[in-house]
Amino acid sequence: MSDAAPLLAAKGISKRFGGVQALKGVELSVAPGEVVALAGDNGAGKTTLIKIVSGVFQADAGELRYEGSAIRFANPQEARRAGIETIYQDLALADNLDVGANVFLGREPHRRVLGVPVIDRATMRAEARRSLDVLDIQLHRYDVPVRTLSGGQRQAVAIGRAIYWKARVLIMDEPTAALGVPEQRKVMALIRNLKAGGVGVIFISHNLGDIFEISDRIVVLHRGVNAGERATRATNPDEIVRLMVGG
Amino acid sequence: MSAPLAIEAPRARAGAWLVSARAWLFLILLLIFFEIWSRAALHVTFLFNGFNMQSIGVFTVQPLLLALGQTFVIISGGIDLSVGFTMGFAAVVAAHVINAAQPEIGPAGAFVVGTLVALAASAVPGLINGLLIARLRIPPFIGTLGMFGVARGTAFLLAGGTTISVNNPPLVFIGTQEVGGIPAIVIVTVAFLLGLHYLLAQTRFGQYTYALGGNRQAAVRAGIDVRRLTVSLYVLSSLCAGLSGILYTGRFLAGAAQAGEPLLLDSIAAVVIGGASLFGGSGTVFGTLIGALIIAVIQYGLVFIDVEPFWQFVAVGIVIIISVLVDQTQKRLGGGRQDE
Ligand SMILES: Nc1ncnc2c1ncn2[C@@H]1O[C@H](COP(=O)(O)OP(=O)(O)OP(=O)(O)O)[C@@H](O)[C@H]1O
Ligand SMILES: [Mg+2]
């Protein structure tokens, strides 16, 4: 797996927030059909790294390569256009908008009424429902603000939004943290499906069971630097934990 | 396959509908109240008097126009304190330009040029507001408060401290005449309002305005250019104020720097009474329309039944507080997630 040419690679990435050096010369790559787990204790820099990859932050140093050539994402829109979808740890939902509006935010479809283009809310809801069906999560209503949904339902909306757009790289920052056990299994099955479809997946989790079940490769960060990288088949949880705590 | 997860979500959509139903109901009760009072005290009808209804319509126009722009800004999580004097500024500019142009190019040409120049001039304070807020991250309250002073001073300077009479037939027609029994100024305003409703409820621009007010971060990550959106919103707000100023010159045959002075608070009140949250994320054009009508009916009605004019302030203030209280109570009882 890891000898396939990487679809997306981050090389020598550094990022400083004021006095905090969040990342220092970090490397991360993912190949088509590969699932890479990004592990590390709290504050290790995982979220910062994937926010750089998805265009939210700009790196102070280092470069991104996508399909073999250097690329810069000035904003999340550019990353999404290139086929990189991200499920953020903080979900990034507009709480006052409904499920359909959140799934389609920034990409609303239109229909015409007497020749005048209007946002097609019915289609947005129907499609949102279909993408949540994949996770086997059904809501009674799709026209309520997501503020009124439970934590797990909201997480499902964020996942549904990312998978609806048929990404080539899917980045998931703790996507199952708020989900019940059956829904967690659905997400794992979903990742397996995407992998079979050739999608590159970067999967951040604190759950070693999930990491070992789903990933091909594990990249460990510790205090903003690469602490190690292992093929999942060739390592064990004890070794990963040792890397995570910097041992 | 496990059973699908199905959790009942509160009917927040119905909640939004209820807000406007409640405001309509309140408006109807107000009209009934004034009808009963004027029949009992003055032995005349309030409601079935065409002149009263026309006057209320005309009376609503100026605060409503300011409130419509304010609606977009408030939904996006901002506020525009500069609208009153932007309106005065536009009124003065319109009067000056029309007076200068009319002898040269005639009334129709002067009307077109004066209107366009006044609108363009009114866009300037909005553009500056938007840039201050979007680029320099100045809080809207402070940025537009500064612009309140700048627009006020500029308007008085341009006016030379007086009001500028203007007599332009097309503008006077819009400001003072009727078409089919409906004041032309009301027709213009209603057409403009329908356009804004479309913009807010049916276009991406409107959708992104809600998203910006709901969660700025989410809007950014969805790829929305929130800076450009913010600038557009403040420009829209000041264009609404500009239109209000232009119509003012048609209605009063004069441009005056203080044209919009008392209207700022009324405009914010109309938006809030119409169901918008000052924290952003909610509000509608029709809600604001009802809010503006409620305020106008209170103000006009109290004058009609001969109550001392100062009671208007008290009454409108009470209505603002009640509408926010009722809104919160309703949220607690029915729609939406409750606060912790
Ligand atoms: N926007 C920001 N501004 C300032 N500092 C930040 C910002 N985002 C992250 N940091 C800092 O960067 C470091 C790495 O944070 P990051 O969120 O990437 O960690 P993480 O590995 O995702 O942790 P967790 O497992 O808790 O989610 C932390 O010290 C954090 O305080
Ligand atoms: Mg994180």
Side-chain angles (χ1 to χ4, degrees):
Chain A
M1 266 290 141
S2 40
D3 34 63
L7 181 55
L8 178 68
K11 294 183 179 299
I13 300 290
S14 296
K15 179 74 183 175
R16 170 179 281 280
F17 295 111
V20 181
Q21 185 76 46
L23 295 172
K24 205 158 62 191
V26 170
E27 312 277 326
L28 177 71
S29 72
V30 64
E34 185 186 27
V35 178
V36 176
L38 186 56
D41 54 2
N42 294 124
K46 307 181 294 295
T47 297
T48 305
L49 179 58
I50 64 96
K51 280 185 176 170
I52 287 169
V53 172
S54 64
V56 175
F57 292 143
Q58 306 296 310
D60 300 335
E63 69 164 359
L64 296 180
R65 300 187 72 81
Y66 191 54
E67 300 184 296
S69 43
I71 194 166
R72 286 188 70 83
F73 298 127
N75 54 54
Q77 175 82 319
E78 292 184 8
R80 292 182 82 192
R81 255 192 233 125
I84 301 171
E85 286 287 336
T86 307
I87 299 159
Y88 295 97
Q89 191 170 12
D90 60 11
L91 303 184
L93 299 174
D95 285 333
N96 56 332
L97 298 181
D98 70 19
V99 179
N102 270 286
V103 168
F104 282 86
L105 191 57
R107 299 169 166 183
E108 293 78 1
H110 287 85
R111 68 193 166 93
R112 289 190 171 269
V113 177
L114 307 173
V116 181
V118 300
I119 285 187
D120 189 350
R121 294 180 200 282
T123 298
M124 298 201 303
R125 273 176 209 136
E127 294 293 310
R129 173 191 299 254
R130 288 205 332 189
S131 80
L132 288 192
D133 280 349
V134 175
L135 297 169
D136 235 351
I137 289 185
Q138 267 114 41
L139 309 176
H140 272 183
R141 296 175 65 92
Y142 290 78
D143 59 352
V144 295
V146 299
R147 170 178 52 234
T148 63
L149 303 182
S150 76
Q153 290 172 325
R154 288 160 45 80
Q155 190 144 37
V157 173
I159 297 172
R161 169 169 65 187
I163 61 174
Y164 180 79
W165 297 101
K166 313 247 179 306
R168 307 190 54 206
V169 175
L170 180 63
I171 301 172
M172 313 172 101
D173 195 348
E174 303 194 28
T176 59
L179 296 183
V181 175
E183 289 75 27
Q184 287 182 17
R185 305 318 301 164
K186 297 273 156 38
V187 172
M188 299 303 267
L190 175 76
I191 294 175
R192 243 174 250 120
N193 267 339
L194 294 168
K195 174 182 162 66
V199 176
V201 179
I202 298 171
F203 174 73
I204 298 179
S205 176
H206 289 290
N207 183 330
L208 286 177
D210 286 354
I211 287 178
F212 273 84
E213 177 184 336
I214 202 78
S215 71
D216 301 302
R217 201 149 53 84
I218 305 173
V219 174
V220 182
L221 291 187
H222 178 66
R223 296 195 184 155
V225 299
N226 286 92
E229 179 175 332
R230 300 284 184 276
T232 308
R233 245 175 306 164
T235 185
N236 58 60
D238 288 342
E239 186 182 23
I240 297 301
V241 171
R242 262 200 311 281
L243 291 172
M244 282 170 58
V245 298
Chain B
M1 247 353 197
S2 66
L5 188 77
I7 297 167
E8 181 77 62
R11 304 188 142 217
R13 185 92 189 170
W17 191 82
L18 257 178
V19 171
S20 62
R22 195 184 61 217
W24 280 113
L25 184 68
F26 185 70
L27 180 59
I28 292 167
L29 289 178
L30 261 183
L31 290 169
I32 293 173
F33 165 81
F34 282 118
E35 178 67 13
I36 292 173
W37 188 313
S38 62
R39 276 182 195 261
L42 312 169
H43 309 293
V44 293
T45 173
F46 173 76
L47 208 48
F48 304 99
N49 175 336
F51 178 78
N52 279 355
M53 292 304 110
Q54 283 184 356
S55 303
I56 289 172
V58 171
F59 197 69
T60 309
V61 163
Q62 255 92 33
L64 173 61
L65 284 170
L66 299 192
L68 288 173
Q70 194 79 260
T71 304
F72 282 76
V73 169
I74 286 178
I75 290 172
S76 80
I79 188 124
D80 188 350
L81 301 181
S82 66
V83 286
F85 282 101
T86 299
M87 173 181 158
F89 173 62
V92 171
V93 170
H96 271 314
V97 172
I98 288 172
N99 284 340
Q102 195 149 278
E104 311 288 332
I105 56 176
F111 170 72
V112 173
V113 172
T115 303
L116 291 180
V117 172
L119 281 178
S122 71
V124 174
L127 187 64
I128 298 172
N129 282 335
L131 291 173
L132 289 175
I133 292 159
R135 295 270 160 197
L136 304 179
R137 304 300 297 265
I138 293 179
F141 192 91
I142 303 301
T144 61
L145 186 62
M147 188 50 63
F148 165 95
V150 173
R152 176 186 204 181
T154 311
F156 276 112
L157 285 170
L158 273 182
T162 65
T163 60
I164 298 128
S165 327
V166 58
N167 195 344
N168 175 257
L171 197 52
V172 172
F173 179 85
I174 294 175
T176 59
Q177 300 302 302
E178 292 166 17
V179 178
I182 302 173
I185 196 172
V186 171
I187 295 174
V188 170
T189 304
V190 169
F192 185 69
L193 176 140
L194 292 175
L196 289 183
H197 170 72
Y198 167 75
L199 186 63
L200 182 60
Q202 306 291 359
T203 70
R204 287 187 176 177
F205 181 87
Q207 191 78 351
Y208 299 167
T209 302
Y210 284 105
L212 177 57
N215 182 350
R216 185 176 193 278
Q217 227 29 265
V220 169
R221 296 205 199 142
I224 296 166
D225 187 340
V226 298
R227 289 184 181 180
R228 221 175 87 191
L229 177 61
T230 302
V231 173
S232 311
L233 287 165
Y234 285 91
V235 169
L236 177 65
S237 173
S238 67
L239 284 174
C240 290
L243 178 61
S244 182
I246 292 165
L247 294 178
Y248 177 96
T249 58
R251 189 175 151 203
F252 296 104
L253 309 186
Q258 69 276 20
E261 179 149 28
L263 300 182
L264 169 65
L265 288 181
D266 284 352
S267 78
I268 296 173
V271 178
V272 171
I273 293 170
S277 158
L278 282 177
F279 296 109
S282 66
T284 61
V285 163
F286 287 116
T288 296
L289 168 64
I290 303 164
L293 282 172
I294 286 173
I295 294 172
V297 167
I298 291 174
Q299 292 177 338
Y300 185 88
L302 288 178
V303 172
F304 187 80
I305 61 176
D306 262 341
V307 170
E308 265 221 81
F310 302 115
W311 282 105
Q312 293 172 20
F313 304 131
V314 178
V316 172
I318 291 173
V319 171
I320 293 171
I321 294 170
I322 290 179
S323 71
V324 173
L325 276 179
V326 171
D327 196 40
Q328 284 177 349
T329 312
Q330 178 192 304
K331 281 207 188 97
R332 252 196 311 281
L333 295 181
R337 177 169 286 258
Q338 292 180 18
D339 295 334
E340 277 136 30

